[in-house]
PDB file of all heavy atoms in Angstrom:
ATOM      1  N   MET A  20     -15.422 -13.571 -98.065  1.00 54.00           N
ATOM      2  CA  MET A  20     -15.431 -14.958 -98.542  1.00 54.00           C
ATOM      3  C   MET A  20     -14.105 -15.608 -98.028  1.00 54.00           C
ATOM      4  O   MET A  20     -13.024 -14.945 -97.996  1.00 54.00           O
ATOM      5  CB  MET A  20     -15.482 -15.045-100.009  1.00 54.00           C
ATOM      6  CG  MET A  20     -16.758 -14.632-100.611  1.00 54.00           C
ATOM      7  SD  MET A  20     -17.607 -16.114-101.168  1.00 54.00           S
ATOM      8  CE  MET A  20     -19.041 -15.379-101.831  1.00 54.00           C
ATOM      9  N   LEU A  21     -14.204 -16.854 -97.700  1.00 53.00           N
ATOM     10  CA  LEU A  21     -13.032 -17.671 -97.243  1.00 53.00           C
ATOM     11  C   LEU A  21     -12.707 -18.641 -98.351  1.00 53.00           C
ATOM     12  O   LEU A  21     -13.525 -19.066 -99.160  1.00 53.00           O
ATOM     13  CB  LEU A  21     -13.384 -18.414 -95.932  1.00 53.00           C
ATOM     14  CG  LEU A  21     -13.715 -17.515 -94.812  1.00 53.00           C
ATOM     15  CD1 LEU A  21     -14.191 -18.413 -93.641  1.00 53.00           C
ATOM     16  CD2 LEU A  21     -12.510 -16.739 -94.338  1.00 53.00           C
ATOM     17  N   VAL A  36     -15.853 -19.789-100.243  1.00 80.00           N
ATOM     18  CA  VAL A  36     -17.080 -20.181 -99.583  1.00 80.00           C
ATOM     19  C   VAL A  36     -17.573 -18.968 -98.765  1.00 80.00           C
ATOM     20  O   VAL A  36     -16.786 -18.100 -98.354  1.00 80.00           O
ATOM     21  CB  VAL A  36     -16.842 -21.348 -98.631  1.00 80.00           C
ATOM     22  CG1 VAL A  36     -16.540 -22.584 -99.447  1.00 80.00           C
ATOM     23  CG2 VAL A  36     -15.810 -21.121 -97.598  1.00 80.00           C
ATOM     24  N   GLN A  37     -18.833 -18.935 -98.485  1.00 78.00           N
ATOM     25  CA  GLN A  37     -19.448 -17.879 -97.578  1.00 78.00           C
ATOM     26  C   GLN A  37     -19.861 -18.605 -96.300  1.00 78.00           C
ATOM     27  O   GLN A  37     -20.716 -19.394 -96.294  1.00 78.00           O
ATOM     28  CB  GLN A  37     -20.673 -17.302 -98.273  1.00 78.00           C
ATOM     29  CG  GLN A  37     -21.435 -16.405 -97.450  1.00 78.00           C
ATOM     30  CD  GLN A  37     -20.671 -15.110 -97.068  1.00 78.00           C
ATOM     31  OE1 GLN A  37     -20.230 -14.399 -97.867  1.00 78.00           O
ATOM     32  NE2 GLN A  37     -20.579 -14.846 -95.709  1.00 78.00           N
ATOM     33  N   PRO A  38     -19.147 -18.239 -95.224  1.00 78.00           N
ATOM     34  CA  PRO A  38     -19.593 -18.868 -93.945  1.00 78.00           C
ATOM     35  C   PRO A  38     -21.009 -18.391 -93.540  1.00 78.00           C
ATOM     36  O   PRO A  38     -21.378 -17.270 -93.834  1.00 78.00           O
ATOM     37  CB  PRO A  38     -18.566 -18.362 -92.883  1.00 78.00           C
ATOM     38  CG  PRO A  38     -17.628 -17.431 -93.618  1.00 78.00           C
ATOM     39  CD  PRO A  38     -18.081 -17.370 -95.099  1.00 78.00           C
ATOM     40  N   LEU A  39     -21.746 -19.264 -92.903  1.00 77.00           N
ATOM     41  CA  LEU A  39     -23.149 -19.021 -92.576  1.00 77.00           C
ATOM     42  C   LEU A  39     -23.386 -19.655 -91.220  1.00 77.00           C
ATOM     43  O   LEU A  39     -23.022 -20.788 -90.958  1.00 77.00           O
ATOM     44  CB  LEU A  39     -24.106 -19.617 -93.615  1.00 77.00           C
ATOM     45  CG  LEU A  39     -25.519 -19.611 -93.281  1.00 77.00           C
ATOM     46  CD1 LEU A  39     -26.056 -18.176 -93.219  1.00 77.00           C
ATOM     47  CD2 LEU A  39     -26.301 -20.382 -94.391  1.00 77.00           C
ATOM     48  N   LEU A  40     -23.996 -18.939 -90.363  1.00 74.00           N
ATOM     49  CA  LEU A  40     -24.409 -19.468 -88.999  1.00 74.00           C
ATOM     50  C   LEU A  40     -25.899 -19.279 -88.967  1.00 74.00           C
ATOM     51  O   LEU A  40     -26.485 -18.209 -89.023  1.00 74.00           O
ATOM     52  CB  LEU A  40     -23.704 -18.610 -87.900  1.00 74.00           C
ATOM     53  CG  LEU A  40     -24.122 -18.949 -86.452  1.00 74.00           C
ATOM     54  CD1 LEU A  40     -23.784 -20.364 -86.116  1.00 74.00           C
ATOM     55  CD2 LEU A  40     -23.461 -17.995 -85.534  1.00 74.00           C
ATOM     56  N   PRO A  55     -18.821 -12.205 -87.474  1.00 73.00           N
ATOM     57  CA  PRO A  55     -17.793 -12.582 -88.454  1.00 73.00           C
ATOM     58  C   PRO A  55     -18.429 -13.447 -89.590  1.00 73.00           C
ATOM     59  O   PRO A  55     -17.713 -13.732 -90.550  1.00 73.00           O
ATOM     60  CB  PRO A  55     -16.769 -13.343 -87.651  1.00 73.00           C
ATOM     61  CG  PRO A  55     -17.525 -13.830 -86.487  1.00 73.00           C
ATOM     62  CD  PRO A  55     -18.628 -12.818 -86.193  1.00 73.00           C
ATOM     63  N   VAL A  56     -19.670 -13.856 -89.389  1.00 76.00           N
ATOM     64  CA  VAL A  56     -20.321 -14.707 -90.420  1.00 76.00           C
ATOM     65  C   VAL A  56     -21.763 -14.137 -90.643  1.00 76.00           C
ATOM     66  O   VAL A  56     -22.257 -13.316 -89.822  1.00 76.00           O
ATOM     67  CB  VAL A  56     -20.431 -16.154 -89.966  1.00 76.00           C
ATOM     68  CG1 VAL A  56     -19.088 -16.788 -89.907  1.00 76.00           C
ATOM     69  CG2 VAL A  56     -21.236 -16.325 -88.675  1.00 76.00           C
ATOM     70  N   VAL A  57     -22.439 -14.576 -91.648  1.00 80.00           N
ATOM     71  CA  VAL A  57     -23.797 -14.219 -91.853  1.00 80.00           C
ATOM     72  C   VAL A  57     -24.623 -14.958 -90.779  1.00 80.00           C
ATOM     73  O   VAL A  57     -24.419 -16.162 -90.661  1.00 80.00           O
ATOM     74  CB  VAL A  57     -24.247 -14.608 -93.274  1.00 80.00           C
ATOM     75  CG1 VAL A  57     -25.750 -14.353 -93.457  1.00 80.00           C
ATOM     76  CG2 VAL A  57     -23.471 -13.857 -94.317  1.00 80.00           C
ATOM     77  N   VAL A  58     -25.480 -14.236 -90.086  1.00 78.00           N
ATOM     78  CA  VAL A  58     -26.312 -14.852 -89.041  1.00 78.00           C
ATOM     79  C   VAL A  58     -27.749 -14.740 -89.453  1.00 78.00           C
ATOM     80  O   VAL A  58     -28.223 -13.678 -89.739  1.00 78.00           O
ATOM     81  CB  VAL A  58     -26.091 -14.127 -87.645  1.00 78.00           C
ATOM     82  CG1 VAL A  58     -26.963 -14.776 -86.647  1.00 78.00           C
ATOM     83  CG2 VAL A  58     -24.600 -14.172 -87.302  1.00 78.00           C
ATOM     84  N   TRP A  67     -32.225 -16.187 -98.412  1.00 90.00           N
ATOM     85  CA  TRP A  67     -30.854 -15.708 -98.511  1.00 90.00           C
ATOM     86  C   TRP A  67     -30.057 -16.464 -99.602  1.00 90.00           C
ATOM     87  O   TRP A  67     -29.403 -15.901-100.400  1.00 90.00           O
ATOM     88  CB  TRP A  67     -30.191 -15.787 -97.146  1.00 90.00           C
ATOM     89  CG  TRP A  67     -28.777 -15.244 -97.123  1.00 90.00           C
ATOM     90  CD1 TRP A  67     -28.361 -13.982 -97.013  1.00 90.00           C
ATOM     91  CD2 TRP A  67     -27.561 -15.985 -97.218  1.00 90.00           C
ATOM     92  NE1 TRP A  67     -27.012 -13.824 -97.051  1.00 90.00           N
ATOM     93  CE2 TRP A  67     -26.496 -15.122 -97.207  1.00 90.00           C
ATOM     94  CE3 TRP A  67     -27.263 -17.390 -97.342  1.00 90.00           C
ATOM     95  CZ2 TRP A  67     -25.167 -15.428 -97.205  1.00 90.00           C
ATOM     96  CZ3 TRP A  67     -25.944 -17.774 -97.376  1.00 90.00           C
ATOM     97  CH2 TRP A  67     -24.957 -16.801 -97.372  1.00 90.00           C
TER      98      TRP A  67
END
Side-chain angles (χ1 to χ4, degrees):
M20 291 255 181
L21 300 171
V36 297
Q37 172 66 54
L39 171 67
L40 174 63
V56 296
V57 175
V58 180
W67 182 81

